Amino acid sequence: MRRQEIAEQVATLAGPIALRLGLEVVGVELVGAGRKPILRVLIDRGVGAGVEDCARLSEALSRELDLYDLFADRYTLEVASPGLDRALHRPVDFARFSGRAVAITTVEPIDGQRRFRGRLLGLVNGLVDVRLDDGREIRLGHEQIAQARLVVDEAELRQDLKRSRATGKGPADRPRMGNGIPHAPGAGSTATHMRLGVSGE
């Protein structure tokens, strides 16, 4: 089974579990070379998922995955919050983060260029609308986008920090909860570790 197919099946399994916990699965990817890949599940709660959220979903999803024969070899399950420079995958992501700075790489060159930076304007008739730093405006179909990610803007971070202090809530870090040693299929979770940060992978 191809990695993309496995990721899609895991997303299907993780979605209802996350919903029961008041969370949302915003991305699933299978990364890493060799026979011990990392299964990374990204979750959100609107105001940012915390360490406990990652731990709860990791435990519940581990039990669910043990019931399915998706992995022939060992793997590592990693549940994390997307972070400040989160990747944008779904149409709802591009609508939600309208107004934010983004970096986009296209599948094929557009006027000889594949990498673009600018301000996300949202969705227009299903197309991702971006005002580029040079003033141009482009609209891209989802199938044209190889990768899209929020750009960490220091001015926006300062504004978010001021708002968070006013409301008494700190800015969300990027909690990460995963298994300390790789899974063997059917073995379940045996240990956990946690890493905090704000940068993307």
Side-chain angles (χ1 to χ4, degrees):
M1 187 181 300
R2 294 184 306 168
R3 290 193 170 198
Q4 182 60 33
E5 293 174 345
I6 292 176
E8 291 172 357
Q9 290 197 30
V10 172
T12 299
L13 294 173
I17 298 173
L19 188 61
R20 291 197 297 270
L21 298 175
L23 302 166
E24 179 188 12
V25 175
V26 298
V28 176
E29 55 185 356
L30 194 59
V31 298
R35 297 172 61 85
K36 296 180 182 179
I38 296 173
L39 175 61
R40 183 173 298 138
V41 180
L42 301 178
I43 61 172
D44 202 359
R45 188 190 280 280
V47 295
V51 172
E52 291 184 3
D53 295 319
C54 294
R56 291 162 62 203
L57 185 66
S58 178
E59 181 180 359
L61 182 57
S62 290
R63 292 196 299 266
E64 188 75 7
L65 290 173
D66 286 344
L67 301 176
Y68 295 85
D69 189 23
L70 297 181
F71 296 89
D73 301 298
R74 292 178 177 270
Y75 67 97
T76 298
L77 173 63
E78 183 179 276
V79 176
S81 175
L84 297 177
D85 57 348
R86 65 186 293 163
L88 307 179
H89 300 285
R90 308 161 301 165
V92 66
D93 296 332
F94 292 99
R96 175 182 175 184
F97 292 101
S98 178
R100 294 289 301 276
V102 293
I104 293 178
T105 302
T106 56
V107 176
E108 299 291 339
I110 298 176
D111 295 330
Q113 182 179 351
R114 289 187 62 227
R115 301 181 186 279
F116 301 88
R117 289 173 66 99
R119 188 71 53 177
L120 182 60
L121 301 179
L123 292 175
V124 177
N125 297 324
L127 300 177
V128 177
D129 194 9
V130 181
R131 178 174 293 116
L132 302 179
D133 291 341
D134 62 10
R136 291 180 297 154
E137 187 172 326
I138 62 170
R139 293 181 180 176
L140 303 169
H142 191 73
E143 71 284 352
Q144 293 178 275
I145 298 174
Q147 184 182 68
R149 186 175 294 276
L150 294 181
V151 174
V152 178
D153 185 299
E154 292 185 7
E156 290 178 350
L157 284 179
R158 285 194 292 269
Q159 292 176 359
D160 289 344
L161 184 59
K162 288 181 180 178
R163 284 193 293 266
S164 68
R165 286 175 176 169
T167 59
K169 295 180 180 180
D173 287 327
R174 184 180 181 180
R176 186 186 304 275
M177 179 66 69
N179 294 340
I181 63 175
H183 275 262
S189 177
T190 57
T192 59
H193 76 280
M194 183 170 56
R195 288 185 289 159
L196 295 177
V198 295
S199 63
E201 295 297 327

